[in-house]
Amino acid sequence: MMALPKAGIIFNDIKPAAARAAAELTEKFQDAGYRVYQTTGWGGILGFPRPDSPVCHTPIDRLAAEGFDEAMPFAIVLGGDGTVLAAARQVAPFDIPLLTINTGHMGFLTEGYLNQIHPAIDTLLAGQYALEDRSMIEVRVFRDERLIWEALALNEAVLHKEPLSGICHFEVAIGRHNIVDIAADGVIVATPTGSTAYALAAGGPVITPDVQVLQLIPICPHSLAARGLVFADTESLVVHPPTNHQHLILSLDGNSGCYIWPGDQVRIRRARYRTRLIRLQPPEFFALLREKLGWGLPHIAKPLSVELP
């Protein structure tokens, strides 16, 4: 007797609409002959360290919930961008494609809205979709050459003081190139997906998702010459924190992950894993920029010549 196919649902359980939708989809998939596995986005949260316990660590490949593995052809994400980021971290080691449904606010990473969910699921079950791959970064912290912390990020890694104010001198090495000194409140290392998140707010460029690069963005640099740097994602990056500060905070995708102490090394590279997004329509990145961020709209709208979103 053949086993039933799997379907996964990852939802934000503090949003009643997402919880209701998860229950409805569970019934829909079961009626279609699937075994359904549910989990919440909390499983992808990295945890919050404390000064007396500076490392809160779960290995990269142990974040997935029970039932989420290589045999699962897809998972549905119900939430906002934060839930999508957490879900990506949970399923990337098993290469599970994600159909993302927005129950939050902006939903920059989501494919559809809650009022479109049933036609979207019908399209998914009919196999009428494409997959879009997004690169991730792998972040590891070493102390005396010993790995003490690791995590995946879809958007970015941020290293900064606590609280976020005051100048630090970061020594940064990219690939085989000479070490550079960056005087700033912090530094951001972002993927193309993360170029429209914190890196954009810090003055970085928008990068289309298919470009195989990373970017290094200083936060409030103390130099007119300090600018963001875009480099090939085949290069790894090592950040040496300043030695004249007690500790720094390393955050990934908006999650506090680890305290960084003088002498630690933060090593970042393109991950061997990826995020796979299910697209029900051909992706149009510029249209998304226009709809979500107002990119390319005139300062004064002219209704006869400009079609507003």
Side-chain angles (χ1 to χ4, degrees):
M1 184 176 182
M2 292 183 61
L4 295 176
K6 292 183 174 185
I9 299 175
I10 303 172
F11 66 102
N12 185 342
D13 61 340
I14 66 173
K15 292 183 180 294
R20 287 194 299 270
E24 292 175 9
L25 288 186
T26 296
E27 184 176 346
K28 185 179 182 76
F29 282 126
Q30 288 174 340
D31 290 344
Y34 284 82
R35 286 179 294 159
V36 181
Y37 294 86
Q38 281 191 12
T39 189
T40 69
W42 293 107
I45 300 298
L46 296 175
F48 295 87
R50 304 183 307 275
D52 60 336
S53 181
V55 176
C56 184
H57 179 216
T58 301
I60 284 173
D61 58 357
R62 297 184 189 174
L63 286 177
E66 181 181 356
F68 286 74
D69 55 29
E70 294 90 344
M72 183 173 284
F74 59 81
I76 313 300
V77 182
L78 302 166
D81 287 332
T83 308
V84 175
L85 293 169
R89 193 176 295 113
Q90 290 173 277
V91 307
F94 302 108
D95 216 30
I96 301 173
L98 298 174
L99 176 61
T100 55
I101 302 297
N102 185 20
T103 65
H105 298 288
M106 178 176 287
F108 198 88
L109 295 173
T110 55
E111 175 68 5
Y113 294 91
L114 201 54
N115 61 358
Q116 305 164 331
I117 190 168
H118 291 292
I121 298 302
D122 292 340
T123 301
L124 171 69
L125 294 180
Q128 298 173 354
Y129 62 87
L131 294 177
E132 181 184 12
D133 292 344
R134 297 289 184 97
S135 61
M136 306 179 78
I137 53 175
E138 208 168 69
V139 183
R140 288 188 163 90
V141 178
F142 287 82
R143 183 170 298 160
D144 298 324
E145 293 302 317
R146 178 175 60 90
L147 177 66
I148 63 167
W149 189 87
E150 65 177 357
L152 292 174
L154 177 56
N155 269 357
E156 76 278 301
V158 183
L159 190 60
H160 60 84
K161 288 183 62 179
E162 185 187 38
L164 182 55
S165 63
I167 294 296
C168 294
H169 285 266
F170 300 90
E171 290 187 343
V172 180
I174 298 176
R176 66 188 185 281
H177 304 288
N178 291 334
I179 291 177
V180 296
D181 181 279
I182 297 176
D185 285 3
V187 291
I188 304 169
V189 180
T191 66
T193 300
S195 73
T196 53
Y198 194 0
L200 180 66
V206 174
I207 300 174
T208 57
D210 55 335
V211 180
Q212 296 182 348
V213 296
L214 299 175
Q215 60 175 322
L216 172 67
I217 306 295
I219 302 172
C220 300
H222 193 63
S223 171
L224 294 176
R227 293 292 183 269
L229 175 68
V230 177
F231 58 97
D233 65 8
T234 54
E235 302 272 22
S236 59
L237 180 145
V238 180
V239 182
H240 302 265
T243 58
N244 60 338
H245 290 284
Q246 184 180 16
H247 64 260
L248 302 176
I249 289 288
L250 175 63
S251 302
L252 271 65
D253 290 345
N255 284 227
S256 291
C258 185
Y259 277 96
I260 305 298
W261 298 86
D264 291 350
Q265 279 190 6
V266 181
R267 302 179 188 176
I268 302 173
R269 66 180 183 183
R270 177 171 175 161
R272 61 189 184 276
Y273 304 122
R274 60 189 172 178
T275 295
R276 311 205 79 185
L277 298 176
I278 293 172
R279 296 306 190 195
L280 305 180
Q281 299 178 358
E284 207 341 293
F285 186 65
F286 289 173
L288 184 63
L289 292 179
R290 182 183 176 94
E291 176 188 351
K292 301 292 187 178
L293 299 180
W295 183 72
L297 292 180
H299 294 295
I300 301 176
K302 299 178 182 179
L304 296 180
S305 61
V306 176
E307 180 182 355
L308 296 176

